[in-house]
Amino acid sequence: MSAEQRVRRPLSADSPARRPLSAGSRVLAPFSRRAARVLERRVYGAYVVLRCADPDGPRPRAGQFYMLAARRWGGGDGERPFLPRAFSVLRSGADHERAFLIEDVGPGTHRLCELQAGEDLLLVGPLGLGFGAPEDARRPLLVGGGVGIAPLAIWQDELGGASALVGFRDAPRAEGARLLADARVATDDGSVGHRGLVTDLLREELDGDAHATVYACGPPAMLESVRVLCAARETPAQLALESGMACGFGACFGCVVPTRRGYIRLCVDGPVVDAAELETAMVAGMGH
Amino acid sequence: MSAEQRVRRPLSADSPARRPLSAGSRVLAPFSRRAARVLERRVYGAYVVLRCADPDGPRPRAGQFYMLAARRWGGGDGERPFLPRAFSVLRSGADHERAFLIEDVGPGTHRLCELQAGEDLLLVGPLGLGFGAPEDARRPLLVGGGVGIAPLAIWQDELGGASALVGFRDAPRAEGARLLADARVATDDGSVGHRGLVTDLLREELDGDAHATVYACGPPAMLESVRVLCAARETPAQLALESGMACGFGACFGCVVPTRRGYIRLCVDGPVVDAAELETAMVAGMGH
Amino acid sequence: MNAHAAATPTELSGIELAHPIINGSGTFDAIAARRVFGDALIGQFPFAAFVSKTVTVAPREGNPPPRLWETPGGLINSIGLPNKGLRRYLAEDLPELAALPVPLIVNVMGFTGDEVVELVSAFSVRDEVAALELNVSCPNVETGLVMGADPGEVTALLRRVRPLTEKPLIVKLTPNATDVVAVARAAQDAGASAVSLINTIRGMALDPRTGHPWLGGTTGGVSGPAVRAVALAQVHAVARGVGIPIVAMGGVQNGRDALDLIMAGATVVAVGTESFRDPAAGTRISRELAALCENSSISRHGTPLNC
Amino acid sequence: MNAHAAATPTELSGIELAHPIINGSGTFDAIAARRVFGDALIGQFPFAAFVSKTVTVAPREGNPPPRLWETPGGLINSIGLPNKGLRRYLAEDLPELAALPVPLIVNVMGFTGDEVVELVSAFSVRDEVAALELNVSCPNVETGLVMGADPGEVTALLRRVRPLTEKPLIVKLTPNATDVVAVARAAQDAGASAVSLINTIRGMALDPRTGHPWLGGTTGGVSGPAVRAVALAQVHAVARGVGIPIVAMGGVQNGRDALDLIMAGATVVAVGTESFRDPAAGTRISRELAALCENSSISRHGTPLNC
Ligand SMILES: Cc1cc2nc3c(=O)[nH]c(=O)nc-3n(C[C@H](O)[C@H](O)[C@H](O)COP(=O)(O)OP(=O)(O)OC[C@H]3O[C@@H](n4cnc5c(N)ncnc54)[C@H](O)[C@@H]3O)c2cc1C
Ligand SMILES: Cc1cc2nc3c(=O)[nH]c(=O)nc-3n(C[C@H](O)[C@H](O)[C@H](O)COP(=O)(O)OP(=O)(O)OC[C@H]3O[C@@H](n4cnc5c(N)ncnc54)[C@H](O)[C@@H]3O)c2cc1C
Ligand SMILES: Cc1cc2nc3c(=O)[nH]c(=O)nc-3n(C[C@H](O)[C@H](O)[C@H](O)COP(=O)(O)O)c2cc1C
Ligand SMILES: Cc1cc2nc3c(=O)[nH]c(=O)nc-3n(C[C@H](O)[C@H](O)[C@H](O)COP(=O)(O)O)c2cc1C
Ligand code: FES
Ligand code: FES
């Protein structure tokens, strides 16, 4: 934790006199892109986990993300990728190790999934605002869908444990559940755990005891269900959203999502957003 | 030799009623780009030789070339390569094996030099007109510079032997001499063989006996010296030229070189050209 | 994706096409390709029509080399319209091209109105020719204006040549114009049967060793995937501005790219630079397009797609 | 290549710059970057001047998302000029930006002549501002013409605002014009201190799932390496048409690309999209440029290069 800096700043620059949109905080990123050696590439069903060494980077907060690329970026499907891609940190081990969970859904993730131990990840980060601690002694409840489990794994580590509900499309993806401790699993096709949506499990949990803070990450439709379920029960929820990003550090204004207070740049004012700030978690252009 | 077709055609299409610019002939190429598995990657000093299996392609003529690319083409230096690159066939073994000699001089050759056994070369060819047999019982004399030795190796094979004079910049490149039988070597720095130019050796040979047909391939300045030396002695010479190519099959009109009869498209009316057709072998935009 | 989906026959200004993929002018030489690939070229001809390289009245050598420069995802060419000129083209090439198994579209360019009249008149009477494409991206030697960038120039030109032929006249627009839609509308109003776009975008490269312009022609035109998004925007805008068919091109590499242009309003899609990477790219693209259309619920303005 | 070559100080219309690399408007937000990277941003500021994102009179939310689409070697953006508007920019951002270790160039855009007058007048009296850049790539709401594509519009605009300030006025040209040189010449003749180019090239993408326009703003602008060759051609042409300094940009990724633009006639080079890939790209590029200049025998018109 040596080189680590933790700062809490209001959104002074572009929203002075506003309370932040997220309870989370950020760790500053080194100012440049750096190479992080891949130490291990491991397959979890449909997902790849890359563990890498980042000796020059600080320890990130849970919920923060990195912009990742590889050498010989480009030249894939449709002559892409060109820009780096955003990935939540999955885990932050000792000795400046970071892990990322990647699903191959297009030319950028495809290239990253090809990387082998010994090759370099090019990274900028940690970026964005992470999760904030639960308030009022509420129990943390993690709800993840697909690759959305990534930020929940490191958050579960930091919290020293938390119940986790996770949903996947099918059995190969449900292998990802192994990345969380004691997760209850739902699959669309019923091949593993509950047959149906992870939000079925969430409803059950909240109906049992709504005194929780929900931390959720996953596809837009899932997050929207989480938002509605929590709003109905006045359960606070912190949602880690996704949107298309070119830069990840506020430079391009491309990653905006609508909130009750107007557009925010998700990369600097998110990706974790208080559910209460959103009218909807359905973000245009997201989800595959 | 099964699938092979040999045809001799005049340049009917664009130069009717003209004698061809080269004594050479062509073998038709299959009409599409195909994948050829790399069987072996071998390093000769500064050069890489890729041997590949081309079961669907005909046996090429010496002096013909192929347009080569790789999967994940692109994404190299300067966001290139994009177009395929031209390479003379170095050797054509039994069982539809072809070999290419590659020097890493830019993003395209760099990517090709990375290929390992088991990966695919994407190729179109054989293309262009190859070398023609020596006339008047003249002895064949091969003169190569750098990667220009490639078409001479297969020609030496086909001729069943021929004297070869080869020049290189330095010792690592002079390793390429091993690809020819009994070659006399010159290096710019004198580290191997004669210190100086391969054209010094050629002058010596021709001064001894000018009754030869010279086959030469190499950098423009070398070819120009060969042309001048041969012209002075009325020794016929067939020069395998280079020019920047986008397509290799006459589609783009980009590869023209000036001849005494105007511009020719080197990819369909060359790359082997009778030296007598040239005012100069210095082609704009060629050579590194 | 069904790689063997049946190609959908298409019609362009009365010309029947087996599928919607043709070549871009100057990016495929069927006569040279026949020398290289033999009769396989005829048996597996990759395009539903063949578009010739630009023919001019006088023979042209073209620009001095170097003529090519590779860019990120693209290519700059400064070829300079080499061709044997009208007379020899009629005598030598037309008979050979008539042997192709697809309709022939001849692309012509004149440096004056009189030259265009001569070209159109000459091809108008040749049965081998299914349609004419007018390349108007050159400067008018009389007015100095680039013909294809100025609606008034295009109107004046078409008024002269439209009455000279009953064959379809396709006007090939230049993308190097402030208002491409205005030019397309002028072409339509003066009787063009269709418009084609985009031609190459003006670009340049320097020799890294000298810092001087690399290309023999100083500047050249950019093509390939690098220009695809620009092509799509121009096709989309022109489709909303005119009612005549559109032949769309610019960076098409696969069936998805072709479908995008069709969704944006094209009737026919042309492939240029991608053929340099694979001579049979046209066949692959037409198959991919057919498979996408078969499996897709996408339709344009509620009507089934022409693909 | 000497990676530690000394950067060459440069001067742009009287503004001293430590080296010739600055940022393109709208591609770097120094205030947001400070939140992300902390004081390292100030200590290692990558540009020799900071150019603000376009400021308009009224606050703007910008276009609805999605705003980005990746293309081969490039990016289409349809950001829509979100900004807090003149009043809040003056009150909140200007003081923060004054803390940067480099000169500040404020980029402004008005939808009417009156708006441009208001913007120029307001910044003219602020000492924090070293120069103004006029973004004229919007349509004039009165005439409907895109201001920056029409020499007459540019002349009229500059005639009004040039007298209002003693600060350098840089006119940012749009590449979506038939004759960029004519517009640059009009800017020069009406008193522009410099011109900057290229802005993004109009482009478009369709949602592969629906076939409808992907971008919330329907069309957007292409930037990045894909446009580099086009930028070089326009800079080269403008440099031959005007005598005022040129701030050149478009796809610059490394020192070689920057040197090309300088060889073509630029005084200063701006980096945009490449900063998205590496926030410190400006520093790397200025070092690479210095090393190339030191080791190179290249000179422009026989005089040593400004790099
Ligand atoms: C903060 C954050 C954290 C994330 N964390 C993770 C994580 O931990 N693990 C993980 O696997 N993913 C994560 N993602 C998602 C990941 O960034 C995307 O899956 C990735 O960017 C996809 O890139 P690609 O090149 O593989 O696919 P793309 O081709 O970019 O496709 C992805 C989607 O983009 C759209 N698209 C298609 N073509 C284009 C185009 N040409 N240009 C732009 N968009 C296009 C489509 O909607 C498509 O479904 C995260 C995203 C964000 C914003
Ligand atoms: C018929 C023929 C046969 C050949 N046979 C062989 C062979 O057997 N072995 C072999 O090693 N080579 C051979 N070559 C040469 C080989 O094709 C080139 O070395 C190769 O194309 C270089 O590609 P690159 O991407 O590595 O380098 P590039 O970057 O393309 O550089 C090669 C040269 O192109 C120029 N250049 C630089 N940048 C660009 C750019 N952006 N666009 C276009 N040009 C640029 C420069 O002059 C540079 O020196 C042959 C060429 C021809 C025409
Ligand atoms: C090498 C080359 C030569 C071309 N020659 C011509 C020509 O002679 N006439 C013409 O109208 N267009 C010509 N074009 C333009 C193409 O027909 C096409 O409009 C353009 O290349 C865009 O398509 P693409 O990106 O698929 O190549 C040429 C393009 C290239 C690359
Ligand atoms: C996301 C994005 C936002 C931009 N916003 C502005 C802007 O607000 N004002 C402006 O004048 N130019 C704007 N530009 C244009 C850039 O300043 C620059 O002219 C262009 O991107 C070309 O440079 P590049 O290829 O290096 O990015 C923007 C470009 C991008 C990519
Ligand atoms: S990704 Fe560029 S501002 Fe957020
Ligand atoms: S390389 Fe295209 S015509 Fe020769």
Side-chain angles (χ1 to χ4, degrees), chain A residues 67 243-256 265-268, chain D residues 68 276:
Chain A
M67 297 302 284
S243 73
M245 292 186 177
C247 70
F249 58 94
C252 73
F253 284 79
C255 61
V256 294
R265 279 173 289 179
L266 198 70
C267 67
V268 284
Chain D
L68 302 171
F276 302 162

Side-chain angles (χ1 to χ4, degrees), chain C residues 78-100:
Chain C
S78 108
I79 307 296
L81 305 176
N83 78 99
K84 43 180 71 164
L86 177 60
R87 201 181 51 79
R88 281 184 54 209
Y89 188 88
L90 289 169
E92 297 162 15
D93 289 5
L94 216 45
E96 285 211 47
L97 294 173
L100 293 177

Side-chain angles (χ1 to χ4, degrees), chain D:
Chain D
M1 187 158 78
N2 176 359
H4 294 283
T8 315
T10 301
E11 188 243 296
L12 174 70
S13 307
I15 313 168
E16 303 288 335
L17 304 175
H19 58 78
I21 304 296
I22 70 174
N23 68 298
S25 171
T27 63
F28 203 93
D29 179 339
I31 295 173
R34 177 106 192 248
R35 288 167 60 204
V36 173
F37 303 111
D39 290 341
L41 177 77
I42 309 299
Q44 303 159 39
F45 200 74
F47 306 112
F50 178 69
V51 183
S52 80
K53 187 159 179 65
T54 297
V55 181
T56 57
V57 172
R60 292 170 59 88
E61 275 270 43
N63 289 335
R67 291 180 172 183
L68 302 171
W69 180 261
E70 186 180 72
T71 65
L75 168 69
I76 319 183
N77 83 79
S78 107
I79 307 296
L81 305 176
N83 77 100
K84 42 177 71 162
L86 177 59
R87 200 180 51 79
R88 282 184 54 210
Y89 188 88
L90 289 169
E92 297 164 14
D93 289 5
L94 216 45
E96 287 211 47
L97 294 173
L100 293 178
V102 298
L104 174 64
I105 300 174
V106 175
N107 177 300
V108 299
M109 180 164 110
F111 294 90
T112 61
D114 286 350
E115 282 193 357
V116 183
V117 166
E118 184 175 348
L119 290 157
V120 169
S121 309
F123 286 110
S124 173
V125 296
R126 295 293 294 247
D127 288 340
E128 301 94 325
V129 178
L132 285 165
E133 184 174 52
L134 298 187
N135 178 350
V136 290
S137 44
C138 64
N140 181 327
V141 295
E142 286 132 18
T143 66
L145 296 172
V146 173
M147 291 191 192
D150 187 86
E153 290 271 338
V154 167
T155 303
L157 181 67
L158 277 237
R159 289 247 170 84
R160 275 192 76 184
V161 302
R162 176 67 279 188
L164 304 177
T165 181
E166 284 172 4
K167 294 191 197 292
L169 270 184
I170 306 165
V171 175
K172 184 155 183 182
L173 306 171
T174 168
N176 302 299
T178 306
D179 191 349
V180 178
V181 177
V183 179
R185 225 181 265 122
Q188 165 178 275
D189 294 349
S193 316
V195 288
S196 55
L197 67 159
I198 63 170
N199 211 318
T200 57
I201 302 179
R202 202 178 303 112
M204 188 178 185
L206 301 184
D207 185 333
R209 285 166 298 189
T210 65
H212 295 298
W214 170 267
L215 297 165
T218 307
T219 61
V222 184
S223 65
V227 309
R228 190 157 65 222
V230 178
L232 189 65
Q234 296 200 357
V235 168
H236 186 262
V238 167
R240 267 137 204 84
V242 302
I244 53 179
I246 293 173
V247 179
M249 67 201 93
V252 172
Q253 294 191 287
N254 54 43
R256 161 64 51 196
D257 300 336
L259 182 59
D260 275 359
L261 289 168
I262 290 171
M263 294 292 300
T267 297
V268 164
V269 171
V271 174
T273 303
E274 184 66 8
S275 295
F276 302 162
R277 304 184 353 140
D278 176 0
T283 302
R284 173 179 56 76
I285 294 168
S286 69
R287 289 207 184 117
E288 289 170 352
L289 175 62
L292 275 173
C293 291
E294 224 172 57
N295 299 1
S296 117
S297 53
I298 293 173
S299 66
R300 190 167 80 238
H301 314 314
T303 60
L305 274 173
N306 177 24
C307 68

Side-chain angles (χ1 to χ4, degrees), chain C residues 151-271:
Chain C
E153 291 271 339
V154 167
T155 303
L157 182 66
L158 277 235
R159 289 247 169 84
R160 275 192 75 183
V161 301
R162 175 68 278 189
L164 303 178
T165 181
E166 284 172 5
K167 295 192 197 290
L169 269 185
I170 306 166
V171 174
K172 184 154 183 184
L173 307 171
T174 167
N176 303 299
T178 306
D179 191 349
V180 178
V181 177
V183 179
R185 223 182 267 123
Q188 165 177 275
D189 294 350
S193 318
V195 287
S196 55
L197 67 159
I198 64 172
N199 211 318
T200 56
I201 303 179
R202 201 177 304 111
M204 187 176 185
L206 301 184
D207 185 333
R209 287 166 294 190
T210 64
H212 295 298
W214 170 266
L215 297 165
T218 307
T219 61
V222 184
S223 64
V227 308
R228 189 157 66 221
V230 177
L232 190 66
Q234 295 201 358
V235 168
H236 186 262
V238 167
R240 269 138 202 81
V242 303
I244 52 178
I246 294 174
V247 179
M249 67 200 94
V252 172
Q253 293 191 287
N254 55 42
R256 162 62 52 197
D257 300 336
L259 182 59
D260 276 359
L261 289 168
I262 290 171
M263 296 292 300
T267 297
V268 164
V269 171
V271 174

Side-chain angles (χ1 to χ4, degrees), chain C:
Chain C
M1 187 156 79
N2 174 358
H4 294 284
T8 314
T10 301
E11 188 243 295
L12 175 70
S13 307
I15 313 168
E16 303 289 335
L17 304 176
H19 59 77
I21 304 297
I22 69 173
N23 68 298
S25 171
T27 64
F28 203 93
D29 179 339
I31 295 173
R34 178 107 192 247
R35 289 168 59 205
V36 174
F37 303 112
D39 291 340
L41 177 79
I42 310 299
Q44 305 160 38
F45 200 73
F47 306 112
F50 178 68
V51 183
S52 79
K53 185 158 180 68
T54 297
V55 181
T56 56
V57 172
R60 290 170 59 88
E61 274 270 45
N63 289 334
R67 292 181 171 183
L68 301 171
W69 180 262
E70 187 179 72
T71 65
L75 167 69
I76 320 182
N77 82 78
S78 108
I79 307 296
L81 305 176
N83 78 99
K84 43 180 71 164
L86 177 60
R87 201 181 51 79
R88 281 184 54 209
Y89 188 88
L90 289 169
E92 297 162 15
D93 289 5
L94 216 45
E96 285 211 47
L97 294 173
L100 293 177
V102 298
L104 173 63
I105 300 175
V106 175
N107 178 300
V108 298
M109 180 164 110
F111 293 91
T112 62
D114 287 349
E115 282 193 357
V116 183
V117 165
E118 184 175 348
L119 290 158
V120 170
S121 309
F123 286 110
S124 173
V125 297
R126 295 294 295 245
D127 289 340
E128 301 95 325
V129 178
L132 285 165
E133 184 175 51
L134 298 188
N135 179 351
V136 290
S137 44
C138 64
N140 181 328
V141 294
E142 286 132 18
T143 67
L145 295 172
V146 173
M147 291 192 190
D150 188 86
E153 291 271 339
V154 167
T155 303
L157 182 66
L158 277 235
R159 289 247 169 84
R160 275 192 75 183
V161 301
R162 175 68 278 189
L164 303 178
T165 181
E166 284 172 5
K167 295 192 197 290
L169 269 185
I170 306 166
V171 174
K172 184 154 183 184
L173 307 171
T174 167
N176 303 299
T178 306
D179 191 349
V180 178
V181 177
V183 179
R185 223 182 267 123
Q188 165 177 275
D189 294 350
S193 318
V195 287
S196 55
L197 67 159
I198 64 172
N199 211 318
T200 56
I201 303 179
R202 201 177 304 111
M204 187 176 185
L206 301 184
D207 185 333
R209 287 166 294 190
T210 64
H212 295 298
W214 170 266
L215 297 165
T218 307
T219 61
V222 184
S223 64
V227 308
R228 189 157 66 221
V230 177
L232 190 66
Q234 295 201 358
V235 168
H236 186 262
V238 167
R240 269 138 202 81
V242 303
I244 52 178
I246 294 174
V247 179
M249 67 200 94
V252 172
Q253 293 191 287
N254 55 42
R256 162 62 52 197
D257 300 336
L259 182 59
D260 276 359
L261 289 168
I262 290 171
M263 296 292 300
T267 297
V268 164
V269 171
V271 174
T273 304
E274 184 66 6
S275 296
F276 301 163
R277 304 186 351 139
D278 177 359
T283 302
R284 173 178 58 76
I285 294 168
S286 69
R287 289 207 183 118
E288 288 170 353
L289 175 63
L292 276 173
C293 291
E294 225 172 55
N295 300 358
S296 118
S297 53
I298 294 171
S299 66
R300 188 166 82 237
H301 314 316
T303 59
L305 274 174
N306 176 24
C307 67

